Amino acid sequence: QVQLVESGGGLVQAGGSLRLSCAASGRTFSTYAMGWFRQAPGKEREFVAGISSSGGNTAYADSVKGRFTISRDNAKNTVYLQMNSLEPEDTAVYSCAAVDHSIWSRHPPDYNYWGQGTQVTVSS
């Protein structure tokens, strides 16, 4: 069982930055690949970024590539999402998720555990 708790969301102006954190419980965090997803009102949940269990492999949605960076610290059981050059279109609830596999997936149903989400609002 893995419990995930996100933090770091908030209100920021366009062009600003935020850093999201996702703290995981359990001793097996380092065996899970992790993903960040977001869901805006009236839209489906979408993949934002993924990172392998070792941290050596990452992937991004085209819409955030070059602006967002995913990383993890297995010693701290935490995964991060650094978000720079934020745009109003990035406004959404951001959730982290864990998949019992070494490699991330872009598909939400593949993930075993989810956090409760944190709101990110970008004003123009």
Side-chain angles (χ1 to χ4, degrees), residues 58-123:
T58 59
Y60 299 91
D62 288 343
S63 59
V64 307
K65 199 172 294 182
R67 300 188 297 123
F68 291 10
T69 302
I70 188 171
S71 61
R72 67 189 296 161
D73 185 338
N74 285 344
K76 295 183 178 180
N77 279 14
T78 303
V79 62
Y80 305 97
L81 185 67
Q82 178 67 43
M83 305 186 295
N84 298 330
S85 302
L86 282 162
E87 304 168 352
E89 293 74 21
D90 295 317
T91 295
V93 175
Y94 285 70
S95 300
C96 65
V99 57
D100 190 7
H101 197 274
S102 61
I103 295 295
W104 45 266
S105 168
R106 294 179 181 265
H107 306 293
D110 290 339
Y111 286 78
N112 305 99
Y113 304 102
W114 290 84
Q116 82 288 350
T118 185
Q119 177 70 46
V120 171
T121 303
V122 184
S123 63

Side-chain angles (χ1 to χ4, degrees), residues 5-73:
V5 179
E6 301 96 336
S7 61
L11 174 64
V12 64
Q13 289 188 331
S17 298
L18 283 174
R19 188 196 196 201
L20 304 184
S21 298
C22 172
S25 65
R27 300 180 179 180
T28 58
F29 174 75
S30 62
T31 66
Y32 288 83
M34 300 295 294
W36 282 100
F37 292 79
R38 67 187 182 186
Q39 188 167 21
K43 295 187 177 182
E44 291 187 353
R45 179 178 284 172
E46 64 172 351
F47 173 81
V48 175
I51 189 166
S52 61
S53 56
S54 68
N57 185 292
T58 59
Y60 299 91
D62 288 343
S63 59
V64 307
K65 199 172 294 182
R67 300 188 297 123
F68 291 10
T69 302
I70 188 171
S71 61
R72 67 189 296 161
D73 185 338

